[in-house]
Amino acid sequence: MRIAWEPPSDIHDGSTVKFQVNRDVFSEAVSFAVKLLPQRTTLPILSGVLIQANADGLVLSSFDYEVSSQTEIQADVEEPGTVLVSGRLLAEIAGRLPNAPVRVSTEESRISVSCGSASFTLLSMPVEEYPSIPEIGEQSGVVPAEEFAAAVAQVAVAASRDDVTPVITGVQLEVRENNLSLVATDRYRVAVRELDWDGGGVASEESVTALVPARTLQEVGKTFGHSGTISVSITSRDDRELIAFSAEKKTVTSLLIKGNFPPVRRLFPETVDNFAVVNTAELIEATRRVALVLEREAALRYSFTADGLTLEAIGSEQAQASESIDAILTGDDTVVSLKPQFLLDGLGAVHSEFVRVSFTKTENPNKPGPVLITSQSSRDQAGADSYRYLLQPNLLLR
């Protein structure tokens, strides 16, 4: 998706820029600014990081028409102005500079970066050709940063990595009153997590949705995870739907994915009477061990009975494997075949000592329904969080 943005009107090619800045602060800021830029771009100018020096310090920005990053840092600015320089090269240089103040200055079309006894000369890029950074609309709401980061990590793993169907490569954010839901699917599994949403007292009967690229959301979660709170802004302007995340003088914006997210919530059962409770770590380790003999894309066979859980891998003629671990079964004996990595993704997102593996029904009694993974506080007590992971048995993938 490409949008014809107007070139910036408030940026001029400041040919004389001079400032001094803390090495660690500068390195972290440049790294943040370029983190979301693609490795390759058809327009070389979009690989640049824009540095605006003013009386208050520095503003570092990057933008590739789909995602932007911007951060403000303190610096001693001797001569204000604006420069554009190769972002990844500057990030690599800044990350390896000695422990001393960084001095940056410009002369004609060159940018000088010196630190201690190290000095670099870089070619500047034409500022006037750089696109305008997207404007952020009014704040839509606030989320707790640590909880949001955890939710993103739990859900984004289920998003598709196949660009053929862009709509399922994103994570759907759904805002309803004081609740934010994150939903992702790749057709074979669905992950859902809910958390608190502070809309600033603005009540709305209509739900607000935003389909955000999973990769961008994962970087937001990692970057802002320890920021206290994250301000979220969802705006639609001139057919451009945009979401912005801001915290601690850092902002990331992203164009939203267009299209209708599949109605996967209806796949979740309201109640399940047939389930097993297993120690999460034991199930993870057993799955990893038994899966060693499997050929690629093959499934593991999980047999749940009153005696426990048995994992079996047919593998090939050269190797087979099986292992039994403790499990507390409620309801009928059940056998399901699951792709081990898909199961491990769900188990890794369950932050509890035990996990509940629930078995849903289908109209065909011989064909198991989706398996529901949820947290379990103890052998007898269901988990208090809202994370749910629905996984299709391998039989349904054929």
Side-chain angles (χ1 to χ4, degrees):
M1 184 187 299
R2 286 286 179 262
I3 293 178
W5 296 78
E6 292 296 324
S9 58
D10 58 341
I11 295 177
H12 57 86
D13 190 358
S15 57
T16 58
V17 173
K18 187 179 290 186
F19 60 83
Q20 181 171 295
V21 62
N22 177 279
R23 191 278 307 262
D24 292 341
V25 172
F26 186 64
S27 175
E28 195 274 336
V30 177
S31 176
F32 165 77
V34 304
K35 191 177 295 182
L36 286 170
L37 288 179
Q39 293 291 338
R40 291 189 178 91
T41 176
T42 54
L43 295 174
I45 199 164
L46 298 181
S47 66
V49 59
L50 189 73
I51 303 175
Q52 297 167 270
N54 54 51
D56 298 323
L58 306 179
V59 179
L60 291 85
S61 312
S62 67
F63 182 39
D64 73 345
Y65 289 113
E66 294 187 1
V67 63
S68 80
S69 301
Q70 189 169 83
T71 181
E72 299 177 29
I73 59 174
Q74 290 185 334
D76 295 325
V77 177
E78 187 175 330
E79 296 183 31
T82 303
V83 292
L84 183 65
V85 62
S86 171
R88 297 204 182 279
L89 179 57
L90 183 61
E92 290 179 5
I93 290 171
R96 293 184 180 273
L97 291 173
N99 189 15
V102 180
R103 295 179 298 277
V104 177
S105 60
T106 57
E107 185 175 343
E108 295 181 349
S109 62
R110 301 282 174 177
I111 300 171
S112 170
V113 180
S114 61
C115 180
S117 59
S119 63
F120 298 83
T121 302
L122 309 177
L123 188 66
S124 63
M125 305 167 79
V127 172
E128 65 276 6
E129 295 180 16
Y130 199 70
S132 296
I133 306 299
E135 292 183 11
I136 302 171
E138 292 184 7
Q139 177 178 290
S140 303
V142 176
V143 290
E146 193 169 339
E147 195 175 347
F148 181 75
V152 170
Q154 288 176 304
V155 171
V157 69
S160 174
R161 292 162 182 79
D162 186 357
D163 292 332
V164 174
T165 313
V167 73
I168 57 173
T169 63
V171 175
Q172 175 96 327
L173 273 57
E174 302 172 354
V175 179
R176 291 183 180 85
E177 296 182 353
N178 297 320
N179 177 271
L180 170 65
S181 298
L182 287 77
V183 190
T185 184
D186 61 1
R187 292 197 184 94
Y188 306 121
R189 62 250 178 98
V190 184
V192 176
R193 170 69 197 277
E194 298 178 358
L195 63 153
D196 293 335
W197 169 269
D198 180 0
V202 179
S204 176
E205 295 182 1
E206 295 184 5
S207 62
V208 177
T209 62
L211 187 52
V212 187
R215 174 177 172 265
T216 302
L217 202 60
Q218 286 172 307
E219 286 296 343
V220 168
K222 293 174 186 175
T223 302
F224 295 155
H226 302 289
S227 301
T229 58
I230 302 173
S231 171
V232 183
S233 173
I234 304 171
T235 57
S236 179
R237 192 179 293 147
D238 301 329
D239 197 36
R240 296 175 298 191
E241 293 184 322
L242 187 77
I243 190 167
F245 302 91
S246 302
E248 297 181 340
K249 294 191 175 182
K250 289 186 175 74
T251 298
V252 170
T253 73
S254 173
L255 285 183
L256 301 183
I257 299 173
K258 293 193 174 183
N260 295 319
F261 194 73
V264 291
R265 279 179 173 276
R266 66 186 183 188
L267 298 175
F268 286 91
E270 291 187 12
T271 57
V272 184
D273 299 324
N274 193 188
F275 61 87
V277 174
V278 190
N279 180 282
T280 309
E282 288 182 7
L283 182 52
I284 289 173
E285 290 306 313
T287 296
R288 286 174 175 164
R289 276 191 293 269
V290 178
L292 289 172
V293 302
L294 283 181
E295 295 182 354
R296 191 180 178 187
E297 298 299 315
L300 276 182
R301 180 184 172 95
Y302 294 81
S303 300
F304 294 86
T305 68
D307 296 326
L309 165 61
T310 300
L311 296 76
E312 298 172 279
I314 303 303
S316 60
E317 294 182 1
Q318 287 78 24
Q320 295 85 36
S322 67
E323 183 171 346
S324 296
I325 60 174
D326 290 338
I328 303 171
L329 180 67
T330 299
D332 302 330
D333 291 359
T334 302
V335 178
V336 290
S337 294
L338 303 172
K339 286 193 174 183
Q341 189 54 54
F342 282 5
L343 178 61
L344 289 172
D345 287 341
L347 296 176
V350 173
H351 303 148
S352 57
E353 182 180 357
F354 294 90
V355 61
R356 178 180 293 206
V357 183
S358 302
F359 312 107
T360 66
K361 304 294 185 183
T362 64
E363 294 179 358
N364 183 347
N366 298 318
K367 197 173 185 181
V371 173
L372 178 62
I373 306 294
T374 53
S375 67
Q376 185 83 6
S377 301
S378 66
R379 284 184 170 85
D380 306 315
Q381 182 67 43
D385 66 11
S386 59
Y387 178 67
R388 294 177 295 161
Y389 183 85
L390 196 65
L391 176 60
Q392 296 275 35
N394 206 53
L395 289 172
L396 299 184
L397 300 182
R398 296 175 182 170

